[in-house]
Amino acid sequence: MSLHPEPVNDIPELTQQVAHACFPKPTAPMLIRNELGTLFADPDFAALYAVRGQPALSPWRLMFVTALQFLENLTDRQAANAVRSRIDWKYALGLELTDTGFDASVLSEFRTRLVTGEVEEFALNRLLELCQARNLLRAGGKQRTDSTHVLGAVRQLNRLELLGETVRAALNELAEYDGAWLRTIVAPEWLDRYAHRVEDYRLPRAEVQRNAYLQQATEDGYALLAALNTHPRRAEVLALPLVAVLQQVWDQQCRHTRKGVRPKRLDELPPGAARIESPYDPAARYSIKRQTRWTGFKVHVSESCDDERPHLVTSVATLSTGQVELGAVQHRKI
């Protein structure tokens, strides 16, 4: 899509009249528009759009809608309906009362564009600049940080599932990359063992059988890694994402001894902050905070906490547990 920047127009006169008549005491969206203006302009987002293509909706409005959506905790569909139906939102966005809005999918596409362009913090930075200009933030002021959990978009796997599913994921990737070569090295029994997603209810229940499965998966993984070292394009194939995860998981979970390969004992495993929990999201980590246990990440929110000034969010960072333990969380300098 291409961007054809449009100037930020004043609020239409009829929209102002109706909004003030309906809301003598302005709502939050109206107050934001009155006190802070539009915050953004189309040229701010020019780098996110192509030069040619279908004209895009005004990105400053989509950014404003995204902020209001978060403020009111709305789904995309609810936010799109609010643009169509709510007078105070039309006031904030500078729209005519007859404006029909847009499809809800536009908001998801816009967020993806922000993430792809690595400008996720743009809106917060712009707001903080405005707050500093109005003396709502003090340079060198006090800040505090707290965190909460973010679930990874993966299943929580036990150790048997992790090893089995990691082998299966690598085999699937290799089948797409070089299926002809894979057929020459794959063991016939692997088809039955890894043809379907590895889930605990399909695995043995008895401890002896589960230990045997763990040992077998360990040997299969090592056999696959050994075969990969003989591939004609060794460097290229070892760099495949899921193959690289296979190597990392086996380094963490398994050990090569003079008697052969074996799973590591629990006391030999790396700490949870370093362990991969799923081949499909290697950055997700198993974490515990008080009574909450989850596989995923931590989001850290910092806010100013000066007396006699409003407490404002100054930084938001989503990190893995490993990054947290390495001290990757930093306060924003203001």
Side-chain angles (χ1 to χ4, degrees), residues 156 272-273 275-277 284-288 292-296 321:
Q156 189 163 319
R275 284 202 306 268
I276 293 175
E277 296 292 334
R285 295 290 184 267
Y286 180 74
S287 303
I288 301 174
T292 304
R293 300 166 183 261
W294 75 98
T295 296
T321 306

Side-chain angles (χ1 to χ4, degrees), residues 139-252:
K142 294 186 294 183
Q143 297 183 72
R144 59 189 172 200
T145 299
D146 199 1
S147 66
T148 188
H149 61 284
V150 177
L151 298 179
V154 292
R155 290 190 302 131
Q156 189 163 319
L157 306 177
N158 60 37
R159 196 177 183 191
L160 274 70
E161 291 174 313
L162 172 63
L163 267 63
E165 191 63 18
T166 301
V167 173
R168 191 180 81 92
L171 289 171
N172 285 339
E173 185 176 50
L174 289 167
E176 294 184 5
Y177 176 78
D178 193 348
W181 175 85
L182 183 63
R183 284 191 291 272
T184 66
I185 63 97
V186 70
E189 59 271 19
W190 286 8
L191 182 60
D192 292 331
R193 199 172 296 147
Y194 303 111
H196 303 286
R197 187 168 67 176
V198 180
E199 296 181 290
D200 193 61
Y201 77 89
R202 291 194 179 106
L203 298 176
R205 292 297 178 192
E207 183 177 357
V208 173
Q209 293 174 318
R210 290 176 73 86
N211 289 338
Y213 180 90
L214 187 63
Q215 177 64 36
Q216 185 63 65
T218 300
E219 294 174 3
D220 291 345
Y222 267 118
L224 180 56
L225 289 170
L228 288 170
N229 282 311
T230 68
H231 193 281
R233 299 186 298 277
R234 176 179 176 276
E236 188 175 328
V237 76
L238 290 177
L240 293 173
L242 291 172
V243 170
V245 171
L246 174 68
Q247 180 68 70
Q248 294 176 61
V249 170
W250 255 244
D251 287 343
Q252 293 178 357

Side-chain angles (χ1 to χ4, degrees), residues 283-320:
R285 295 290 184 267
Y286 180 74
S287 303
I288 301 174
K289 183 177 181 181
R290 301 186 184 94
Q291 305 303 316
T292 304
R293 300 166 183 261
W294 75 98
T295 296
F297 308 87
K298 286 184 179 179
V299 58
H300 297 261
V301 180
S302 299
E303 69 170 0
S304 61
C305 53
D306 287 317
D307 297 334
E308 300 179 357
R309 280 186 171 85
H311 293 183
L312 301 173
V313 171
T314 59
S315 178
V316 179
T318 302
L319 306 171
S320 70

Side-chain angles (χ1 to χ4, degrees), residues 77-91:
R77 189 175 299 278
Q78 290 170 330
N81 286 336
V83 174
R84 274 190 293 272
S85 61
R86 285 181 50 177
I87 296 171
D88 57 340
W89 277 47
K90 289 183 183 293
Y91 179 97

Side-chain angles (χ1 to χ4, degrees), residues 28-168:
M30 294 171 65
L31 283 173
I32 293 173
R33 178 63 190 257
N34 292 341
E35 298 297 326
L36 302 179
T38 61
L39 293 176
F40 318 107
D42 283 351
D44 296 331
F45 304 90
L48 305 181
Y49 292 86
V51 177
R52 294 183 177 86
Q54 180 182 351
L57 292 174
S58 178
W60 80 260
R61 281 200 176 95
L62 294 178
M63 190 74 251
F64 209 141
V65 170
T66 301
L68 295 178
Q69 177 184 4
F70 179 80
L71 177 67
E72 300 191 12
N73 193 27
L74 303 179
T75 65
D76 286 353
R77 189 175 299 278
Q78 290 170 330
N81 286 336
V83 174
R84 274 190 293 272
S85 61
R86 285 181 50 177
I87 296 171
D88 57 340
W89 277 47
K90 289 183 183 293
Y91 179 97
L93 298 169
L95 296 174
E96 297 284 355
L97 294 177
T98 55
D99 192 286
T100 57
F102 48 78
D103 187 79
S105 62
V106 170
L107 292 173
S108 174
E109 294 169 359
F110 180 68
R111 290 194 299 270
T112 300
R113 194 177 295 274
L114 293 178
V115 173
T116 303
E118 298 182 346
V119 293
E120 304 96 318
E121 294 189 3
F122 168 72
L124 178 60
N125 292 339
R126 177 61 60 85
L127 179 60
L128 292 177
E129 290 170 3
L130 184 58
C131 290
Q132 281 187 293
R134 297 193 174 202
N135 199 32
L136 299 176
L137 275 177
R138 181 173 64 86
K142 294 186 294 183
Q143 297 183 72
R144 59 189 172 200
T145 299
D146 199 1
S147 66
T148 188
H149 61 284
V150 177
L151 298 179
V154 292
R155 290 190 302 131
Q156 189 163 319
L157 306 177
N158 60 37
R159 196 177 183 191
L160 274 70
E161 291 174 313
L162 172 63
L163 267 63
E165 191 63 18
T166 301
V167 173
R168 191 180 81 92

